[in-house]
Amino acid sequence: MEKTIFELAAELGRTLKEDERIIALDKARAAFDADATVVALMQEYEVQQRAIQEEAVKEDRSEEVLNVIQDRIETIYNQITESESYKRLEQAQNEVNALMEAVNNTITFNITGEEPSACTHDCSTCGGCH
């Protein structure tokens, strides 16, 4: 019996789920979510975002208050993005994005017979098209 496109897609999904880059992303996401410092910073970030929105819609809003809140938001953002758990998550996500782009390029090549326009000609970034 011939497999349908969706059966093949499901098989591809199951295979990708076992790829070391996907597994690393899952682990990095779990570590990020378990990082107590980052969790606290993200909660404060959300509170500050709400505060700036509430201040911005006031008729008698204070630019000074808005600036103080915005500065705090930027500080929190930088603390989050400079954390080791964030950096590992970002790196893992970039690797999965490259994998998915390579998979998509391979599929596109096999459909069209043409190299995808995103081809970098650096085969280390590719799943194979030539």
Side-chain angles (χ1 to χ4, degrees):
M1 182 170 104
E2 191 174 312
K3 291 185 179 183
T4 68
I5 292 172
F6 297 106
E7 289 170 330
L8 291 168
E11 186 177 328
L12 175 60
R14 288 188 297 274
T15 301
L16 285 168
K17 190 174 183 176
E18 296 171 7
D19 185 272
E20 64 188 33
R21 291 159 284 198
I22 301 290
I23 293 168
L25 176 60
D26 289 342
K27 288 180 182 177
R29 186 176 292 121
F32 179 78
D33 291 343
D35 185 330
T37 302
V38 169
V39 169
L41 286 167
M42 290 181 68
Q43 289 171 342
E44 184 183 353
Y45 184 87
E46 290 173 17
V47 168
Q48 296 294 339
Q49 286 286 351
R50 283 193 300 275
I52 202 167
Q53 290 170 1
E54 290 171 7
E55 183 66 26
V57 297
K58 289 181 180 177
E59 284 185 34
D60 61 337
R61 70 178 161 265
S62 165
E63 292 301 318
E64 184 178 334
V65 170
L66 287 171
N67 289 335
V68 168
I69 297 170
Q70 184 60 43
D71 288 346
R72 181 63 188 148
I73 287 171
E74 288 176 21
T75 298
I76 295 167
Y77 176 83
N78 290 334
Q79 288 175 319
I80 292 169
T81 59
E82 291 170 4
S83 71
E84 285 305 311
S85 62
Y86 179 87
K87 289 177 183 178
R88 284 190 298 272
L89 177 59
E90 183 179 41
Q91 179 181 356
Q93 184 63 61
N94 289 340
E95 289 175 11
V96 168
N97 290 348
L99 169 65
M100 297 308 293
E101 183 176 356
V103 167
N104 191 48
N105 288 345
T106 301
I107 292 169
T108 300
F109 176 74
N110 281 279
I111 292 170
T112 64
E114 297 176 14
E115 288 183 11
S117 59
C119 183
T120 64
H121 298 285
D122 173 3
C123 294
S124 68
T125 66
C126 184
C129 62
H130 3 225

